Amino acid sequence: GAVVSQHPSWVICKSGTSVKIECRSLDFQATTMFWYRQFPKQSLMLMATSNEGSKATYEQGVEKDKFLINHASLTLSTLTVTSAHPEDSSFYICSARGAGGNQPQHFGDGTRLSIL
Amino acid sequence: RKEVEQDPGPFNVPEGATVAFNCTYSNSASQSFFWYRQDCRKEPKLLMSVYSSGNEDGRFTAQLNRASQYISLLIRDSKLSDSATYLCVVNKMANAGGTSYGKLTFGQGTILTVHP
């Protein structure tokens, strides 16, 4: 089946650091990639949607200058959390889907970000 | 009001029990529906799609009532390995950068613990 790889799986860093998370589709071309965030005991919340080669569309309340998304190729999207603070600590999950109206989303295995 | 609402539980049931989860959604434009399973500190994984005609996959039965905007999941003969959080997910079409895609909205999840 389709595989989405996310890296790193766990990050611990100091407040003020910028952190980059990669999301790769390994065996299909990901026309659209999604970035979600999940706080403890809460549901996954969509942060932004990106189509290859165009600017990401951010959900209401998500700061685009804080969470930089790049989707430069059909197999790679990156999320950069700039100047991360403890309140940014969360589980970040990407998903990817191929072209076509009803293609399913395939999820990466998530990145646990802890800001000290 | 949340777009997708679930009873968070937790449900604690013995092995072999039958357990049912319910979910309601508020957006009548939602087009497709799913149950996902999420294990602790892991990414969500698709359990099954949900149709108005009802569908069954082994011990799992899902049902959709569009008129009531209600979705259910029934698990029969519970196993220890069924312990997880079950996420009700609805999909509706959205548009970003000129591309249409399915946008998933996740419920908070229902925690199930199956004990010996």
Side-chain angles (χ1 to χ4, degrees):
Chain A
V3 177
V4 175
S5 171
Q6 198 171 330
H7 178 80
S9 55
W10 205 333
V11 182
I12 303 174
C13 53
K14 293 180 181 178
S15 185
T17 307
S18 292
V19 179
K20 181 186 281 189
I21 303 170
E22 293 187 348
C23 181
R24 293 180 185 273
S25 58
L26 298 184
D27 53 359
F28 68 101
Q29 293 187 325
T31 310
T32 308
M33 285 187 165
F34 305 85
W35 287 95
Y36 296 85
R37 180 168 55 181
Q38 186 178 31
F39 291 107
K41 299 188 180 181
Q42 295 187 27
S43 62
L44 275 75
M45 297 298 295
L46 180 65
M47 298 174 68
T49 303
S50 72
N51 291 300
E52 184 265 338
S54 59
K55 288 183 180 179
T57 300
Y58 289 80
E59 295 298 302
Q60 193 172 11
V62 179
E63 299 175 57
K64 62 180 182 180
D65 295 329
K66 170 80 174 176
F67 300 98
L68 302 178
I69 291 172
N70 183 284
H71 189 172
S73 78
L74 283 170
T75 59
L76 173 65
S77 176
T78 60
L79 167 68
T80 301
V81 184
T82 60
S83 187
H85 291 286
E87 59 267 27
D88 298 322
S89 299
S90 188
F91 189 46
Y92 292 84
I93 309 175
C94 73
S95 71
R97 64 182 290 276
N102 290 315
Q103 290 293 313
Q105 289 187 32
H106 303 283
F107 285 85
D109 46 14
T111 297
R112 195 157 298 280
L113 176 62
S114 296
I115 307 297
L116 305 177
Chain B
R1 184 187 172 190
K2 292 179 183 176
E3 196 166 331
V4 180
E5 297 217 47
Q6 292 181 251
D7 179 351
F11 286 68
N12 294 298
V13 303
E15 273 187 290
T18 295
V19 61
F21 304 140
N22 303 319
C23 168
T24 57
Y25 62 96
S26 61
N27 192 331
S28 59
S30 300
Q31 296 174 304
S32 49
F33 309 87
F34 310 91
W35 283 101
Y36 277 71
R37 170 194 169 126
Q38 186 175 25
D39 293 291
C40 188
R41 297 176 179 265
K42 298 285 189 181
E43 78 280 15
K45 295 188 177 179
L46 179 64
L47 181 64
M48 59 197 305
S49 301
V50 191
Y51 307 109
S52 298
S53 54
N55 51 304
E56 189 173 307
D57 182 1
R59 298 180 293 107
F60 299 83
T61 301
Q63 187 75 51
L64 165 67
N65 184 320
R66 281 190 184 270
S68 303
Q69 296 183 192
Y70 172 92
I71 304 163
S72 65
L73 176 68
L74 183 76
I75 305 175
R76 292 181 300 277
D77 189 23
S78 300
K79 310 291 184 191
L80 296 177
S81 57
D82 293 334
S83 298
T85 298
Y86 290 83
L87 305 170
C88 177
V89 184
V90 304
N91 175 69
K92 64 179 186 287
M93 295 308 291
N95 189 289
T99 301
S100 294
Y101 61 93
K103 179 176 174 180
L104 299 181
T105 302
F106 288 78
Q108 180 183 3
T110 299
I111 299 170
L112 171 66
T113 302
V114 181
H115 57 82

